[in-house]
Amino acid sequence: MWEMVKAAWVGLRLRCPACGRGRIYRGLTTMNEECSHCGVVFEREEGDFLGAVVVAYSITSVVVAIGVYALIMLADLSAMTHVLIWSIFATVFLVTTYRNMKGIWLGILHVMMGLKRRENSQ
Ligand SMILES: [Zn+2]
């Protein structure tokens, strides 16, 4: 369990969960195919990152639920105002943190399946 939390944390920080040094992304939206430091392949097969959507949805749901609860305690707003606020918040949160969510999923994948180098690389 601790190993998965640690790998997810490294991924959250957009570093390779295998070595902790290489960057997962080389640009704002462009993901590296493999780690520049240890050479493991980040996307082993198509569909590997479907789990990142689940991670993103789960984390966003928890953050929004906590936010809704906190705002209900602090302010007396209508239900429509809450829907508007939290819809906008969830969209912005998802767009701005999706890279990190993908990093978390990469960490989980690394612990569950093991990220490996390409067969023909050294
Ligand atoms: Zn690496």
Side-chain angles (χ1 to χ4, degrees):
M1 178 68 183
W2 175 243
E3 188 182 355
M4 187 171 291
V5 171
K6 186 178 167 190
W9 174 249
V10 171
L12 174 71
R13 293 177 19 244
L14 303 178
R15 296 292 177 174
C16 168
C19 68
R21 296 179 144 204
R23 294 180 184 271
I24 296 173
Y25 283 86
R26 65 174 172 265
L28 194 59
T29 58
T30 310
M31 191 173 171
N32 289 321
E33 288 183 22
E34 55 193 50
C35 176
S36 59
H37 186 76
C38 69
V40 297
V41 178
F42 291 139
E43 187 168 4
R44 300 165 312 128
E45 49 191 72
E46 201 170 316
D48 256 3
F49 289 111
L50 194 59
V53 176
V54 175
V55 168
Y57 178 79
S58 303
I59 291 175
T60 302
S61 298
V62 169
V63 169
V64 166
I66 292 169
V68 167
Y69 183 75
L71 194 56
I72 285 173
M73 299 304 275
L74 294 174
D76 185 24
L77 303 173
S78 71
M80 273 315 288
T81 305
H82 276 286
V83 169
L84 184 66
I85 289 171
W86 294 108
S87 297
I88 293 169
F89 174 84
T91 304
V92 171
F93 183 80
L94 267 174
V95 169
T96 56
T97 61
Y98 187 69
R99 292 175 354 141
N100 305 83
M101 307 290 185
K102 216 166 171 178
I104 290 171
W105 177 244
L106 200 56
I108 292 169
L109 264 183
H110 174 60
V111 172
M112 289 186 337
M113 315 288 267
L115 298 177
K116 301 208 177 354
R117 294 173 173 215
R118 289 190 201 285
E119 302 249 334
N120 58 357
S121 67
Q122 297 184 11

